[in-house]
Amino acid sequence: KTLSKLKRQSTDTRASKFQVEVPFPHVTFLGAIVLVLVVQHASGLEEGYSGIAGVKTSYKVLQEGEGSDVVEKGDTVTVHATGIVRQTDKKFWSTKDAGQKPFTYTAGGGVITGWDKGAMGMRIKEIRSLHIPADEGYGKSGFPAWGIPPNGELNFEIEVLSIKGKGGKSKAQDL
């Protein structure tokens, strides 16, 4: 079903006019913008964030990646990662902190669900911000030792440094 229909009205043979019929003529441009924002808010996505099929986690690309290799299930992935509790805005972990090093995991179950699903499809040097709901993070129990409260929602910033395919074969050059 289309939102508008064009009707051609010809008043003479030299010029044509078009009339637009809108099914909701009382909706203004500003009203349409408000409607879009309401729908976006109702979907739970913040501006600029995209949903991921099958999960509630959402992501925003902060820096585009390079090359054609992407994170897939079974890959060994090395990343820089920083985790923040959304409710308190407190960092609980970062591979960039003094004494820390990049983190390596197996895609497809080696980390919390929100991170795992949010990193799928990433390329080398890509940086994403992930919004992870509690049930795709540390759940009802949280992770008190790290300052993550029960039902704590998380923000993660993930940067892919290397991707190795199944069996450890390098898919792309390490940074």
Side-chain angles (χ1 to χ4, degrees), residues 27-38:
V27 176
T28 65
F29 179 71
L30 181 58
I33 290 173
V34 169
L35 181 61
V36 167
L37 292 174
V38 167

mmCIF file with all atom_site columns, all heavy atoms in Angstrom, residues 27-38:
data_model
loop_
_atom_site.group_PDB
_atom_site.id
_atom_site.type_symbol
_atom_site.label_atom_id
_atom_site.label_alt_id
_atom_site.label_comp_id
_atom_site.label_asym_id
_atom_site.label_entity_id
_atom_site.label_seq_id
_atom_site.pdbx_PDB_ins_code
_atom_site.Cartn_x
_atom_site.Cartn_y
_atom_site.Cartn_z
_atom_site.occupancy
_atom_site.B_iso_or_equiv
_atom_site.pdbx_formal_charge
_atom_site.auth_seq_id
_atom_site.auth_comp_id
_atom_site.auth_asym_id
_atom_site.auth_atom_id
_atom_site.pdbx_PDB_model_num
ATOM 1  N N   . VAL A 1 27 ? -1.492 15.193 8.803  1.00 0.00 ? 27 VAL A N   1
ATOM 2  C CA  . VAL A 1 27 ? -0.146 14.953 9.311  1.00 0.00 ? 27 VAL A CA  1
ATOM 3  C C   . VAL A 1 27 ? 0.815  15.920 8.626  1.00 0.00 ? 27 VAL A C   1
ATOM 4  O O   . VAL A 1 27 ? 0.970  15.911 7.418  1.00 0.00 ? 27 VAL A O   1
ATOM 5  C CB  . VAL A 1 27 ? 0.304  13.493 9.064  1.00 0.00 ? 27 VAL A CB  1
ATOM 6  C CG1 . VAL A 1 27 ? 1.750  13.297 9.507  1.00 0.00 ? 27 VAL A CG1 1
ATOM 7  C CG2 . VAL A 1 27 ? -0.608 12.530 9.784  1.00 0.00 ? 27 VAL A CG2 1
ATOM 8  N N   . THR A 1 28 ? 1.446  16.750 9.423  1.00 0.00 ? 28 THR A N   1
ATOM 9  C CA  . THR A 1 28 ? 2.407  17.719 8.897  1.00 0.00 ? 28 THR A CA  1
ATOM 10 C C   . THR A 1 28 ? 3.789  17.088 8.825  1.00 0.00 ? 28 THR A C   1
ATOM 11 O O   . THR A 1 28 ? 4.009  15.979 9.319  1.00 0.00 ? 28 THR A O   1
ATOM 12 C CB  . THR A 1 28 ? 2.477  18.947 9.818  1.00 0.00 ? 28 THR A CB  1
ATOM 13 O OG1 . THR A 1 28 ? 2.992  18.525 11.078 1.00 0.00 ? 28 THR A OG1 1
ATOM 14 C CG2 . THR A 1 28 ? 1.126  19.618 9.965  1.00 0.00 ? 28 THR A CG2 1
ATOM 15 N N   . PHE A 1 29 ? 4.719  17.806 8.245  1.00 0.00 ? 29 PHE A N   1
ATOM 16 C CA  . PHE A 1 29 ? 6.102  17.329 8.185  1.00 0.00 ? 29 PHE A CA  1
ATOM 17 C C   . PHE A 1 29 ? 6.638  17.109 9.596  1.00 0.00 ? 29 PHE A C   1
ATOM 18 O O   . PHE A 1 29 ? 7.241  16.089 9.887  1.00 0.00 ? 29 PHE A O   1
ATOM 19 C CB  . PHE A 1 29 ? 6.971  18.331 7.423  1.00 0.00 ? 29 PHE A CB  1
ATOM 20 C CG  . PHE A 1 29 ? 8.407  17.928 7.332  1.00 0.00 ? 29 PHE A CG  1
ATOM 21 C CD1 . PHE A 1 29 ? 8.808  16.868 6.522  1.00 0.00 ? 29 PHE A CD1 1
ATOM 22 C CD2 . PHE A 1 29 ? 9.369  18.596 8.066  1.00 0.00 ? 29 PHE A CD2 1
ATOM 23 C CE1 . PHE A 1 29 ? 10.122 16.484 6.441  1.00 0.00 ? 29 PHE A CE1 1
ATOM 24 C CE2 . PHE A 1 29 ? 10.693 18.218 7.997  1.00 0.00 ? 29 PHE A CE2 1
ATOM 25 C CZ  . PHE A 1 29 ? 11.082 17.163 7.183  1.00 0.00 ? 29 PHE A CZ  1
ATOM 26 N N   . LEU A 1 30 ? 6.404  18.069 10.488 1.00 0.00 ? 30 LEU A N   1
ATOM 27 C CA  . LEU A 1 30 ? 6.852  17.940 11.867 1.00 0.00 ? 30 LEU A CA  1
ATOM 28 C C   . LEU A 1 30 ? 6.184  16.732 12.526 1.00 0.00 ? 30 LEU A C   1
ATOM 29 O O   . LEU A 1 30 ? 6.829  15.971 13.250 1.00 0.00 ? 30 LEU A O   1
ATOM 30 C CB  . LEU A 1 30 ? 6.544  19.211 12.653 1.00 0.00 ? 30 LEU A CB  1
ATOM 31 C CG  . LEU A 1 30 ? 6.984  19.224 14.104 1.00 0.00 ? 30 LEU A CG  1
ATOM 32 C CD1 . LEU A 1 30 ? 8.495  18.997 14.222 1.00 0.00 ? 30 LEU A CD1 1
ATOM 33 C CD2 . LEU A 1 30 ? 6.605  20.537 14.767 1.00 0.00 ? 30 LEU A CD2 1
ATOM 34 N N   . GLY A 1 31 ? 4.922  16.544 12.243 1.00 0.00 ? 31 GLY A N   1
ATOM 35 C CA  . GLY A 1 31 ? 4.213  15.381 12.783 1.00 0.00 ? 31 GLY A CA  1
ATOM 36 C C   . GLY A 1 31 ? 4.814  14.084 12.302 1.00 0.00 ? 31 GLY A C   1
ATOM 37 O O   . GLY A 1 31 ? 4.923  13.114 13.049 1.00 0.00 ? 31 GLY A O   1
ATOM 38 N N   . ALA A 1 32 ? 5.233  14.050 11.038 1.00 0.00 ? 32 ALA A N   1
ATOM 39 C CA  . ALA A 1 32 ? 5.863  12.844 10.485 1.00 0.00 ? 32 ALA A CA  1
ATOM 40 C C   . ALA A 1 32 ? 7.186  12.564 11.186 1.00 0.00 ? 32 ALA A C   1
ATOM 41 O O   . ALA A 1 32 ? 7.510  11.410 11.487 1.00 0.00 ? 32 ALA A O   1
ATOM 42 C CB  . ALA A 1 32 ? 6.079  12.998 8.985  1.00 0.00 ? 32 ALA A CB  1
ATOM 43 N N   . ILE A 1 33 ? 7.955  13.607 11.466 1.00 0.00 ? 33 ILE A N   1
ATOM 44 C CA  . ILE A 1 33 ? 9.228  13.426 12.181 1.00 0.00 ? 33 ILE A CA  1
ATOM 45 C C   . ILE A 1 33 ? 8.973  12.883 13.585 1.00 0.00 ? 33 ILE A C   1
ATOM 46 O O   . ILE A 1 33 ? 9.642  11.958 14.035 1.00 0.00 ? 33 ILE A O   1
ATOM 47 C CB  . ILE A 1 33 ? 10.015 14.751 12.231 1.00 0.00 ? 33 ILE A CB  1
ATOM 48 C CG1 . ILE A 1 33 ? 10.523 15.091 10.828 1.00 0.00 ? 33 ILE A CG1 1
ATOM 49 C CG2 . ILE A 1 33 ? 11.181 14.665 13.212 1.00 0.00 ? 33 ILE A CG2 1
ATOM 50 C CD1 . ILE A 1 33 ? 11.160 16.439 10.712 1.00 0.00 ? 33 ILE A CD1 1
ATOM 51 N N   . VAL A 1 34 ? 7.997  13.450 14.269 1.00 0.00 ? 34 VAL A N   1
ATOM 52 C CA  . VAL A 1 34 ? 7.649  12.973 15.609 1.00 0.00 ? 34 VAL A CA  1
ATOM 53 C C   . VAL A 1 34 ? 7.231  11.508 15.549 1.00 0.00 ? 34 VAL A C   1
ATOM 54 O O   . VAL A 1 34 ? 7.638  10.706 16.391 1.00 0.00 ? 34 VAL A O   1
ATOM 55 C CB  . VAL A 1 34 ? 6.549  13.850 16.240 1.00 0.00 ? 34 VAL A CB  1
ATOM 56 C CG1 . VAL A 1 34 ? 5.998  13.218 17.510 1.00 0.00 ? 34 VAL A CG1 1
ATOM 57 C CG2 . VAL A 1 34 ? 7.081  15.245 16.514 1.00 0.00 ? 34 VAL A CG2 1
ATOM 58 N N   . LEU A 1 35 ? 6.455  11.140 14.543 1.00 0.00 ? 35 LEU A N   1
ATOM 59 C CA  . LEU A 1 35 ? 6.025  9.756  14.380 1.00 0.00 ? 35 LEU A CA  1
ATOM 60 C C   . LEU A 1 35 ? 7.223  8.826  14.211 1.00 0.00 ? 35 LEU A C   1
ATOM 61 O O   . LEU A 1 35 ? 7.293  7.771  14.838 1.00 0.00 ? 35 LEU A O   1
ATOM 62 C CB  . LEU A 1 35 ? 5.080  9.630  13.187 1.00 0.00 ? 35 LEU A CB  1
ATOM 63 C CG  . LEU A 1 35 ? 4.522  8.239  12.898 1.00 0.00 ? 35 LEU A CG  1
ATOM 64 C CD1 . LEU A 1 35 ? 3.709  7.733  14.087 1.00 0.00 ? 35 LEU A CD1 1
ATOM 65 C CD2 . LEU A 1 35 ? 3.677  8.260  11.647 1.00 0.00 ? 35 LEU A CD2 1
ATOM 66 N N   . VAL A 1 36 ? 8.184  9.221  13.403 1.00 0.00 ? 36 VAL A N   1
ATOM 67 C CA  . VAL A 1 36 ? 9.390  8.409  13.209 1.00 0.00 ? 36 VAL A CA  1
ATOM 68 C C   . VAL A 1 36 ? 10.130 8.242  14.530 1.00 0.00 ? 36 VAL A C   1
ATOM 69 O O   . VAL A 1 36 ? 10.569 7.144  14.876 1.00 0.00 ? 36 VAL A O   1
ATOM 70 C CB  . VAL A 1 36 ? 10.315 9.037  12.135 1.00 0.00 ? 36 VAL A CB  1
ATOM 71 C CG1 . VAL A 1 36 ? 11.696 8.399  12.152 1.00 0.00 ? 36 VAL A CG1 1
ATOM 72 C CG2 . VAL A 1 36 ? 9.687  8.897  10.765 1.00 0.00 ? 36 VAL A CG2 1
ATOM 73 N N   . LEU A 1 37 ? 10.274 9.326  15.295 1.00 0.00 ? 37 LEU A N   1
ATOM 74 C CA  . LEU A 1 37 ? 10.973 9.255  16.574 1.00 0.00 ? 37 LEU A CA  1
ATOM 75 C C   . LEU A 1 37 ? 10.231 8.365  17.573 1.00 0.00 ? 37 LEU A C   1
ATOM 76 O O   . LEU A 1 37 ? 10.858 7.620  18.322 1.00 0.00 ? 37 LEU A O   1
ATOM 77 C CB  . LEU A 1 37 ? 11.180 10.657 17.149 1.00 0.00 ? 37 LEU A CB  1
ATOM 78 C CG  . LEU A 1 37 ? 12.144 11.551 16.370 1.00 0.00 ? 37 LEU A CG  1
ATOM 79 C CD1 . LEU A 1 37 ? 12.157 12.957 16.943 1.00 0.00 ? 37 LEU A CD1 1
ATOM 80 C CD2 . LEU A 1 37 ? 13.541 10.953 16.342 1.00 0.00 ? 37 LEU A CD2 1
ATOM 81 N N   . VAL A 1 38 ? 8.909  8.436  17.579 1.00 0.00 ? 38 VAL A N   1
ATOM 82 C CA  . VAL A 1 38 ? 8.113  7.587  18.471 1.00 0.00 ? 38 VAL A CA  1
ATOM 83 C C   . VAL A 1 38 ? 8.300  6.117  18.104 1.00 0.00 ? 38 VAL A C   1
ATOM 84 O O   . VAL A 1 38 ? 8.503  5.271  18.975 1.00 0.00 ? 38 VAL A O   1
ATOM 85 C CB  . VAL A 1 38 ? 6.623  7.979  18.436 1.00 0.00 ? 38 VAL A CB  1
ATOM 86 C CG1 . VAL A 1 38 ? 5.747  6.930  19.088 1.00 0.00 ? 38 VAL A CG1 1
ATOM 87 C CG2 . VAL A 1 38 ? 6.430  9.333  19.097 1.00 0.00 ? 38 VAL A CG2 1
#
